[in-house]
Amino acid sequence: MGTVSKGNVTVVLFCKRTNVLITSILAGFMVLPSLGIVTSTNPARAQKTASPAPTQKKPVTNSSKPTTSYPASAPPPRVDPLPDQREEQEHSIETDYRVSNLLADVTGNLWVASWRGLSRIDPKTGKIVSRVSLPNVAISALAQDKVGRVWVGNYEGLIRVEPRTSEITAQNLFLPSKRVLSLLIDKRGYLWTGTDNGLALISPDQGLIMTTLKNLPGVSANALTLDAEGHLWVGTLDGLIRVNTANALIMKRIADLPGTTVQALAISPEGLIWAGMPNNLLVINPKTGAVLRSVTRLRGRNVTAVRFAQDGSVWIGTNNGLLRLNPNTGSVLDEVAGLPSSRVLALAPDIANKLWIGTSEGLAWLMPKVGSAKTHLAFSRAVK
């Protein structure tokens, strides 16, 4: 038995493997039996552990030589985040409180799609009735078919939920693109699914694709709405497209709009198209394709949501606030304060005599003739 010093590392050679095993256990060393070599992986810990060990016969060494030291070395690089980093990552995911979509169902309840999951609430009391466990929480669209089943679009495909059990009963991942942006049930009861790479028509019973419209002018089906004749209007990256729901053929295209991208759509009681754009709000005649009006107060503002209320007024959500307009004149009737965030993502008017507002920082509701909204605490940062 002897020692050999190389640089700052000491290598101890043993003739018998049994001695190697006993010594490594007592000294806290790592054994490499195939090579007959013992090295220290943590010198400081090894020295501390070795001190109370039983006295062993020490090798004869030359005392005149300086004692070999083991300087601390940097740990090897880690691929996974450290525990404190994991906590920060989990916290950052949990703190995305955006409410991206709202849906009133046939029972009078309100479905709330947030980036933390899907919930159903009683809009009269605000109490959460049920929650749905989903494989992907980045929900981008909601729709309810004529049987009452709820369809959920996210960035991984399409899911069907049974409201009575809150269970997933079907899913379709074979769309033109898995990134679902919009959903709509037509008058026949079929489900139109808008993605960032075209449209798909889905049978709600089987959850299967009936037809696709991949070569969609403007490519991305950002928003969907039905006109008075039951035809589908699609807001794209390059204007508006009118689609015949009976045969999935394109009937009309309205391009060269100011702002180009259409990201929010609504049909007025008179049958006019209201199109929200990144820098404008346009009123369009669907028969002629003519732009009738650019709403003055919304010029230069990013319009993210458009919904008509029962009283005939129109609610406009923007990246910087919420307004109620007179649709005939475009004048502002109300400008809502007290929102969790000024970035409005979704609107659901006239639900239990309230306007429900989804924002990038949670859910809020507004009573009639009250100028300030109230935050729903279960969907905000106020409650962890």
Side-chain angles (χ1 to χ4, degrees), residues 184 197 251 325 343-344 359 362:
L184 182 141
N197 191 32
M251 302 174 67
L325 304 181
R343 186 184 175 197
V344 177
T359 78

Side-chain angles (χ1 to χ4, degrees), residues 267-328:
I267 299 292
S268 73
E270 296 78 25
L272 301 178
I273 299 173
W274 286 61
M277 314 184 80
N279 61 352
N280 221 327
L281 176 62
L282 303 179
V283 182
I284 300 169
N285 185 328
K287 295 182 178 181
T288 64
V291 176
L292 303 179
R293 185 165 74 246
S294 170
V295 181
T296 305
R297 282 293 302 270
L298 276 303
R299 290 175 186 168
R301 298 183 69 169
N302 189 345
V303 177
T304 53
V306 182
R307 290 295 299 272
F308 281 86
Q310 291 177 357
D311 64 3
S313 63
V314 57
W315 288 99
I316 308 297
T318 75
N319 245 20
N320 189 26
L322 173 63
L323 304 92
R324 186 168 69 98
L325 304 181
N326 181 324
N328 299 317

Side-chain angles (χ1 to χ4, degrees), residues 351-373:
I351 310 299
N353 201 33
K354 302 179 184 73
L355 168 71
W356 293 87
I357 309 131
T359 78
S360 61
E361 290 292 329
L363 178 66
W365 51 274
L366 178 69
M367 294 289 289
K369 300 181 180 179
V370 177
S372 182

Side-chain angles (χ1 to χ4, degrees), residues 240-253:
L240 284 165
I241 305 295
R242 188 186 190 188
V243 177
N244 188 328
T245 55
N247 53 26
L249 295 179
I250 296 175
M251 302 174 67
K252 183 187 290 289
R253 181 183 183 187

Side-chain angles (χ1 to χ4, degrees), residues 66-378:
T67 304
T68 303
S69 61
Y70 293 83
S73 59
R78 296 174 183 264
V79 176
D80 295 329
L82 296 173
D84 57 340
Q85 294 173 335
R86 290 191 203 109
E87 184 178 354
E88 290 175 2
Q89 287 182 355
E90 292 169 358
H91 184 66
S92 65
I93 294 174
E94 292 177 355
T95 52
D96 193 333
Y97 284 87
R98 79 183 72 181
V99 172
S100 53
N101 215 275
L102 300 169
L103 173 69
D105 67 14
V106 294
T107 65
N109 288 325
L110 180 69
W111 291 85
V112 180
S114 75
W115 278 41
R116 296 189 298 147
L118 179 63
S119 303
R120 182 170 42 158
I121 69 172
D122 181 347
K124 296 178 182 177
T125 63
K127 181 181 178 181
I128 295 176
V129 177
S130 63
R131 296 181 187 271
V132 181
S133 178
L134 297 176
N136 185 301
V137 296
I139 301 172
S140 50
L142 291 176
Q144 185 173 39
D145 63 28
K146 293 192 174 183
V147 183
R149 296 165 299 204
V150 174
W151 290 86
V152 183
N154 56 38
Y155 292 170
E156 293 295 331
L158 183 63
I159 293 171
R160 188 181 70 192
V161 174
E162 173 53 55
R164 291 171 294 183
T165 61
S166 297
E167 294 179 349
I168 296 173
T169 57
Q171 54 184 333
N172 194 315
L173 308 180
F174 301 100
L175 303 167
S177 166
K178 288 186 178 180
R179 190 181 177 96
V180 176
L181 303 178
S182 54
L183 294 172
L184 182 141
I185 302 292
D186 67 18
K187 290 187 175 182
R188 299 176 302 164
Y190 293 112
L191 175 67
W192 290 88
T193 302
T195 76
D196 63 356
N197 191 32
L199 275 170
L201 179 62
I202 306 291
S203 166
D205 291 330
Q206 289 81 27
L208 301 175
I209 293 178
M210 300 175 65
T211 188
T212 59
L213 186 56
K214 292 184 179 180
N215 297 322
L216 181 72
V219 183
S220 181
N222 302 324
L224 305 174
T225 192
L226 286 179
D227 63 20
E229 298 177 5
H231 295 303
L232 178 70
W233 285 91
V234 185
T236 74
L237 298 175
D238 189 18
L240 284 165
I241 305 295
R242 188 186 190 188
V243 177
N244 188 328
T245 55
N247 53 26
L249 295 179
I250 296 175
M251 302 174 67
K252 183 187 290 289
R253 181 183 183 187
I254 304 175
D256 301 322
L257 296 174
T260 307
T261 299
V262 177
Q263 57 193 21
L265 282 175
I267 299 292
S268 73
E270 296 78 25
L272 301 178
I273 299 173
W274 286 61
M277 314 184 80
N279 61 352
N280 221 327
L281 176 62
L282 303 179
V283 182
I284 300 169
N285 185 328
K287 295 182 178 181
T288 64
V291 176
L292 303 179
R293 185 165 74 246
S294 170
V295 181
T296 305
R297 282 293 302 270
L298 276 303
R299 290 175 186 168
R301 298 183 69 169
N302 189 345
V303 177
T304 53
V306 182
R307 290 295 299 272
F308 281 86
Q310 291 177 357
D311 64 3
S313 63
V314 57
W315 288 99
I316 308 297
T318 75
N319 245 20
N320 189 26
L322 173 63
L323 304 92
R324 186 168 69 98
L325 304 181
N326 181 324
N328 299 317
T329 64
S331 60
V332 176
L333 302 176
D334 292 298
E335 193 155 0
V336 179
L339 296 173
S341 166
S342 61
R343 186 184 175 197
V344 177
L345 303 177
L347 297 171
D350 305 307
I351 310 299
N353 201 33
K354 302 179 184 73
L355 168 71
W356 293 87
I357 309 131
T359 78
S360 61
E361 290 292 329
L363 178 66
W365 51 274
L366 178 69
M367 294 289 289
K369 300 181 180 179
V370 177
S372 182
K374 293 187 178 180
T375 300
H376 194 300
L377 297 181

